[in-house]
């Protein structure tokens, strides 16, 4: 792994971090403090992104040692992660085209779309989710949108601002959106939405329901009951397609030292990717730095329900959804021809999913799903090592 300065390597920093973590686990805070002093001295903040990353992990260990667990959720944390969004945005034409083809295939004969999303719309920036919608007709495309936001944002989000943003970005794409077509509801997940506050049934047989989980699903793993309710709700509303986008990471191990080791390697590669993406060597902007600092603090310092960041491997996500009664909709295209189009990235197909990577660093994946028809009950296994839960049988 590349050094961020002449004074230390990322591997050497990880060794110190792990030693500090063991001291904290043993309750030896004096020894842990001596390791932290070495880390601060070897990783001054002005020595680049890797030094900044090392300090984030050191801060996370301090938080773990002293039980300092601030709330993860803030307004800024609800936007699409900055570097990941840049990555997605630079690839958006081909990725959106592939997702659009999957939506079109799943929604044959439908003339109207109902989109369900979990992010404040204007924080998406250009294009919103409209870029994924197929529209081969010269006629305007009729769309309605339901945005499900955490309850702490109630009375904070400006409905008129979001309506104006969606109207503006929809115009060049021939999206027809009326005021009554936008609904903002407040719940921590779709599974918590009360039917009395929002009717998710289709307005007519011509409407296709599309659910977007952009960097959302992993937050439901903190509680087995939350994931259970979400999957039950999805099967009840029976969307034509569910689009899932997550970091290609695996930092949900029950052993916090293993989590630290894996997440450090992942974020080291990821920060190196960010440096290469912006070859001018510019530092992380404040919001991006804060976003990833909070992720790292949460992964390393927190346990139980406080640990919101629970990224799983692609295989684990596939196992969870397949055994929970969902069928995968493969993203089918000759992705080999896409590689030459981008100067920092690689796009490949893996088990029907679209995977974006930089060199050896897997960044994110996109996959599409739908509920399997004709089953009245299903079950899924939440890994007991990660959630200490068993196998649940759901009656739908």
């Amino acid at each position: 792994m590349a050094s961020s300065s002449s004074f230390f390597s990322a591997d050497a920093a990880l060794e110190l971090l792990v030693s500090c973590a063991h001291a904290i686990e043993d309750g030896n805070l004096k020894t842990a403090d001596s390791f932290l002093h070495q880390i601060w001295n070897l990783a001054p903040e002005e020595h680049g992104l890797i030094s900044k990353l090392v300090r984030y992990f050191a801060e996370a260990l301090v938080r773990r040692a002293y039980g300092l667990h601030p709330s993860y959720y803030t307004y800024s944390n609800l936007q699409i992660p900055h570097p990941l969004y840049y990555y997605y945005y630079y690839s958006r034409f081909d990725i959106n085209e592939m997702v659009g083809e999957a939506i079109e295939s799943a929604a044959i004969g439908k003339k109207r779309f109902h989109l369900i999303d979990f992010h404040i719309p204007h924080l998406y920036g250009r294009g919103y989710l409209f870029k994924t919608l197929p529209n081969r007709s010269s006629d305007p495309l009729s769309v309605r949108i339901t945005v499900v936001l955490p309850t702490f944002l109630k009375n904070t989000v400006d409905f008129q601002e979001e309506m104006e943003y969606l109207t503006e970005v929809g115009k060049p794409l021939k999206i027809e959106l009326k005021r009554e077509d936008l609904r903002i509801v407040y719940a921590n997940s779709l599974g918590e939405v009360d039917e009395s506050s929002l009717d998710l049934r289709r307005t007519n047989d011509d409407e296709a329901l599309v659910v977007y989980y952009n960097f959302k699903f992993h937050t439901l793993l903190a509680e087995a009951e939350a994931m259970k309710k979400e999957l039950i709700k999805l099967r009840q509303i029976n969307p034509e397609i569910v689009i899932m986008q997550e970091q290609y990471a695996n930092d949900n191990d029950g052993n916090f030292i293993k989590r630290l080791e894996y997440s450090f390697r992942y974020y080291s590669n990821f920060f190196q990717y960010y440096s290469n993406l912006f070859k001018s060597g510019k530092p992380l902007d404040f919001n991006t730095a804060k976003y990833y600092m909070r992720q790292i603090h949460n992964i390393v310092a927190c346990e139980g329900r406080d640990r919101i960041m629970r990224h799983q491997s692609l295989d684990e996500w596939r196992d969870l959804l397949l055994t929970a009664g969902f069928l995968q909709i493969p993203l089918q295209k000759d992705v080999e021809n896409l590689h030459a189009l981008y100067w920092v990235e690689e796009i490949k197909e893996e088990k029907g999913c679209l995977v974006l990577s930089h060199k050896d660093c897997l960044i994110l994946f996109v996959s599409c799903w739908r509920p399997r028809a004709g089953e009245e009950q299903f079950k899924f296994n939440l890994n007991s090592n990660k959630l200490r839960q068993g196998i649940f049988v759901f009656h739908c």
Side-chain angles (χ1 to χ4, degrees):
M1 196 174 292
S3 296
S4 62
S5 74
S6 61
F7 296 99
F8 83 108
S9 70
D11 286 338
L14 177 57
E15 186 176 343
L16 284 172
L17 289 166
V18 170
S19 296
C20 182
H22 279 295
I24 291 171
E25 285 292 89
D26 294 339
N28 192 338
L29 296 186
K30 185 175 180 179
T31 300
D33 189 58
S34 69
F35 283 121
L36 286 168
H37 277 295
Q38 291 182 62
I39 294 167
W40 301 135
N41 291 333
L42 290 172
E45 195 166 2
E46 64 271 14
H47 281 173
L49 281 178
I50 299 301
S51 286
K52 186 184 290 287
L53 177 69
V54 171
R55 296 177 75 87
Y56 289 166
F57 276 89
E59 291 165 3
L61 288 174
V62 172
R63 289 184 176 278
R64 184 179 185 90
Y66 293 98
L68 305 174
H69 303 150
S71 174
Y72 176 78
Y73 285 114
T74 65
Y75 182 91
S76 62
N77 280 348
L78 292 176
Q79 54 194 316
I80 298 300
H82 284 271
L84 292 181
Y85 180 67
Y86 292 143
Y87 204 115
Y88 184 80
Y89 179 72
Y90 291 149
S91 315
R92 70 193 184 282
F93 299 113
D94 289 284
I95 293 177
N96 285 332
E97 180 184 345
M98 294 173 75
V99 173
E101 289 175 358
I103 294 175
E104 185 174 35
S105 175
I108 293 175
K110 306 295 183 179
K111 298 178 181 179
R112 177 177 169 84
F113 290 93
H114 179 189
L115 314 183
I116 298 179
D117 185 40
F118 301 88
H119 293 277
I120 300 171
H122 82 267
L123 294 178
Y124 271 92
R126 303 179 184 182
Y128 186 55
L129 301 171
F130 296 151
K131 294 278 188 178
T132 64
L133 296 180
N135 186 12
R136 302 185 186 278
S137 170
S138 58
D139 298 328
L141 189 63
S142 179
V143 173
R144 66 182 178 117
I145 300 169
T146 298
V147 181
V148 181
L149 297 176
T151 52
F152 77 85
L153 286 176
K154 202 167 188 177
N155 302 320
T156 301
V157 177
D158 187 332
F159 180 93
Q160 185 59 34
E161 178 185 4
E162 303 308 323
M163 188 67 207
E164 290 174 359
Y165 161 76
L166 291 168
T167 302
E168 187 64 26
V169 298
K171 281 180 182 177
L173 300 172
K174 298 183 295 184
I175 301 294
E176 184 178 83
L177 187 70
K178 301 174 183 177
R179 184 177 179 85
E180 60 268 24
D181 292 328
L182 173 62
R183 292 289 305 275
I184 299 178
V185 296
Y186 296 93
N188 293 320
S189 65
L190 191 62
E192 291 187 5
V193 174
D194 193 315
E195 290 185 10
S196 64
S197 64
L198 179 65
D199 188 352
L200 294 173
R201 291 175 297 182
R202 291 162 178 76
T203 54
N204 55 59
D205 292 338
D206 289 336
E207 184 176 77
L209 181 57
V210 183
V211 185
Y212 296 83
Y213 284 97
N214 288 324
F215 310 106
K216 170 67 177 179
F217 241 143
H218 70 272
T219 65
L220 302 177
L221 291 171
E223 296 182 65
E225 189 66 24
M227 180 61 78
K228 174 181 173 180
K229 289 172 65 176
E230 195 75 3
L231 294 172
I232 288 175
K233 177 70 77 166
L234 278 175
R235 288 182 60 84
Q236 287 174 344
I237 65 176
N238 194 28
E240 271 66 25
I241 187 169
V242 176
I243 300 162
M244 177 183 180
Q245 186 174 181
E246 283 286 349
Q247 289 176 227
Y248 200 118
N250 186 15
D251 50 35
N252 192 26
D253 199 289
N255 183 313
F256 113 85
I257 293 177
K258 289 183 179 179
R259 263 192 344 258
L260 184 153
E261 292 176 315
Y262 179 88
S263 59
F264 184 85
R265 294 189 181 98
Y266 174 83
Y267 285 102
S268 295
N269 286 331
F270 188 77
F271 275 43
Q272 189 61 51
Y273 153 72
Y274 185 89
S275 296
N276 292 346
L277 180 60
F278 299 99
K279 292 189 175 182
S280 61
K282 68 177 252 184
L284 288 170
D285 67 78
F286 176 78
N287 284 333
T288 303
K290 188 174 181 181
Y291 185 94
Y292 285 102
M293 177 188 72
R294 283 180 173 273
Q295 277 202 356
I296 291 164
H297 287 181
N298 190 264
I299 290 168
V300 175
C302 297
E303 296 293 349
R305 295 174 61 180
D306 291 331
R307 182 159 60 86
I308 304 299
M309 293 292 102
R310 292 174 177 263
H311 305 112
Q312 294 194 135
S313 69
L314 176 57
D315 284 342
E316 287 174 311
W317 281 120
R318 292 184 75 254
D319 287 346
L320 174 63
L321 291 168
L322 287 170
T323 55
F326 288 79
L327 289 175
Q328 188 174 359
I329 301 174
L331 289 165
Q332 297 177 334
K333 192 165 183 172
D334 183 10
V335 296
E336 296 296 326
N337 294 328
L338 300 179
H339 295 175
L341 298 177
Y342 310 108
W343 51 279
V344 294
E345 67 188 82
E346 185 177 28
I347 304 174
K348 63 181 180 180
E349 184 274 337
E350 182 178 335
K351 298 179 180 178
C353 305
L354 190 65
V355 176
L356 284 77
S357 62
H358 170 68
K359 295 184 178 177
D360 295 328
C361 179
L362 300 169
I363 303 293
L364 63 88
F365 71 87
V366 183
S367 63
C368 298
W369 301 82
R370 66 176 175 83
R372 185 185 298 132
E375 294 188 9
E376 294 185 356
Q377 67 177 24
F378 63 98
K379 59 185 178 181
F380 73 96
N381 183 21
L382 292 178
N383 189 307
S384 59
N385 181 49
K386 297 184 178 183
L387 293 175
R388 298 182 183 177
Q389 300 291 338
I391 297 177
F392 295 85
V393 178
F394 303 110
H395 299 272
C396 302

